DNA sequence: TAGATTGTTAATCGATTAACAATC
DNA sequence: TAGATTGTTAATCGATTAACAATC
């Protein structure tokens, strides 16, 4: 690993900064950006922007700010987004399908967007070996093999909650070390594997709290 | 408001506790649960479980633990989930559609699940006034009217990033005070309106960081 | 040079954990 | 009663903010 023990709170903000920089870079008319400006656009205080970036190096110039093009490039390297990352979607119900379509559109339209869904998996025999949006749907027990063949590094899990832990275990076994889980279930992964949860029900229930205010 | 200044970190854990309690309640064979047990199942330390709950009252008995049925009921009240909450989905592309279907299934199968998508909106003239999964798709400029008529309290926004701020402004205008945004954009809402972001790209980019370890 | 802004250290704030008296 | 576990206070930990010397 390149830098030691960067806290999750810091890593979580890096994509926010990158988004602001991508926007400025592609608009073309902003060459330099201060931590003030970057923070404002990302919703983070300027001091925190500087502190976050300082974990990874010295990217700015005193009295000047950060060069948009350079900092964007560096952030892309830090986030491993400077090369294609091949992603599997496991469970192609309506949510899985929607995520595939979203990703394909994004990947097609933005040549710098390097997260690419290239393999689908499902347990339903009726779906297996058919194509969806141009991608073959594989049976889940070929996960390890397809992971190797296709160079998969990430998985998006959109299977029912009851199957989620089992699917995640298979991912881990296959060597996948970053998983985005949409199933409403508390899953466990071994040390070294990273799991993010995108549980829509949980978010809605949380929001419901504020209706009582 | 019922309790003052509960931190977001606390509110975020309440649905986790509720999920554990719902599970225990419906399984039927666990009547009591200690903070130890509840914490284990929710992925939270026992001390924090007790501290979180203590913000809202005294729900346990020393030496005994928490009565599952009672604490579940109280948490449902705290989260306003003891009555139906009527939700709009704005933007019925494939992601919006998937979320509607997911919600309808969940609402149908679990009689205690009270978040209910009851109205759809879209900007596409070809979709407006057609039905999707039994729900009429309304034009977005009828949002205020339909909100009143249908008693909408929450919105799920799945429109393109370029339209998201405008849509959110309309929601606020219509009196909706809790919004779950899926668009990859930084949105702003006035004081008193609660916005949660469910930005899939951001999560994937964040996970990509760990591929470098 | 004078003004601006970084990188970094010290101060503050808030959240989590540890500990324990109260009590079931 | 004896054992267990809560509710709560004090201690710790970590993250954010404030401040400023370095320097472009």
């Amino acid at each position: 690993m390149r830098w030691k023990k960067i806290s999750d709170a810091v890593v979580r903000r890096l994509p926010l900064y990158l988004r602001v920089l991508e926007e400025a870079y592609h608009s073309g008319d902003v060459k330099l950006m201060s931590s003030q400006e970057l923070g404002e656009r990302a919703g983070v205080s300027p001091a925190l922007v500087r502190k976050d970036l300082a974990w990874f190096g010295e990217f700015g110039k005193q009295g000047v700010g950060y060069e948009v093009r350079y900092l964007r490039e560096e952030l892309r390297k830090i986030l491993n987004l400077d090369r294609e990352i091949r992603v599997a979607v496991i469970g192609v119900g309506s949510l899985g399908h929607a995520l595939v379509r979203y990703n394909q559109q994004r990947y097609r339209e933005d040549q710098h967007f390097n997260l690419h869904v290239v393999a689908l998996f499902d347990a339903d025999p009726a779906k297996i070996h058919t194509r969806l949006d141009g991608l073959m749907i594989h049976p889940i027990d070929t996960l390890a093999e397809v992971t190797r063949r296709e160079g998969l590094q990430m998985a998006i899990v959109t299977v029912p909650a009851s199957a989620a832990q089992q699917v995640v275990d298979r991912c881990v076994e296959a060597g996948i070390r970053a998983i985005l889980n949409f199933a409403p279930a508390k899953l466990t992964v071994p040390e070294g594997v990273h799991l993010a949860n995108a549980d829509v029900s949980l978010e809605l229930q949380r929001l419901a709290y504020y209706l009582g205010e």
Side-chain angles (χ1 to χ4, degrees), chain A:
Chain A
M1 188 209 186
R2 298 162 293 173
W3 310 276
K4 274 277 149 51
K5 282 285 152 199
I6 305 295
S7 95
D8 186 65
V10 174
V11 175
R12 197 174 283 280
R13 285 186 294 266
L14 301 180
L16 295 175
Y17 303 148
L18 180 57
R19 172 180 293 170
V20 171
L21 292 163
E22 290 284 2
E23 222 173 274
Y25 177 66
H26 288 110
S27 86
D29 42 41
V30 188
K31 301 292 183 208
L32 289 168
M33 203 176 273
S34 64
S35 59
Q36 169 83 47
E37 176 82 6
L38 177 48
E40 221 158 78
R41 299 204 199 181
V44 174
S45 77
L48 195 48
V49 170
R50 296 198 298 277
K51 200 160 206 294
D52 285 346
L53 296 176
W55 286 103
F56 302 98
E58 307 197 353
F59 302 114
K61 278 198 183 44
Q62 279 103 324
V64 180
Y66 300 90
E67 212 214 315
V68 168
R69 193 186 137 86
Y70 174 66
L71 183 55
R72 163 184 174 275
E73 198 57 43
E74 290 302 307
L75 269 177
R76 283 166 59 88
K77 283 183 206 158
I78 291 166
L79 287 166
N80 301 303
L81 296 171
D82 56 336
R83 57 188 173 80
E84 179 172 287
I85 292 179
R86 296 167 72 80
V87 181
V89 168
I90 308 178
V92 282
S94 55
L95 180 57
H97 188 183
L99 294 171
V100 171
R101 288 176 59 168
Y102 173 76
N103 179 264
Q104 292 194 334
Q105 192 190 337
R106 184 83 185 270
Y107 188 78
R108 204 181 325 112
E109 289 179 358
D110 179 355
Q111 67 173 123
H112 299 287
F113 189 79
N114 277 332
L115 291 157
H116 197 190
V117 172
V118 295
L120 309 182
F121 296 86
D122 205 290
D124 182 355
K127 288 179 183 165
I128 288 170
H129 300 311
T130 68
R131 281 181 180 277
L132 188 78
D133 293 324
L135 293 172
M136 187 62 76
I137 301 176
H138 303 284
I140 294 186
D141 53 23
T142 62
L143 188 60
E145 179 205 329
V146 178
T147 295
R148 199 174 344 100
R149 195 172 67 224
E150 293 285 347
L152 303 175
Q153 291 196 92
M154 236 189 233
I156 299 176
V157 175
T158 47
V159 302
S162 56
Q165 183 64 58
Q166 197 187 320
V167 162
V168 162
D169 292 346
R170 293 240 183 160
C171 289
V172 172
E173 212 176 279
I176 290 169
R177 286 182 309 146
I179 302 167
L180 180 56
N181 168 50
F182 281 83
K186 204 202 161 273
L187 306 179
T188 58
V189 290
E191 186 89 359
V193 178
H194 290 267
L195 176 71
N197 286 294
D199 189 327
V200 178
S201 309
L202 232 46
E203 284 296 301
L204 289 174
Q205 292 185 332
R206 178 170 84 79
L207 277 171
Y209 171 81
Y210 301 103
L211 297 179
E213 280 180 350

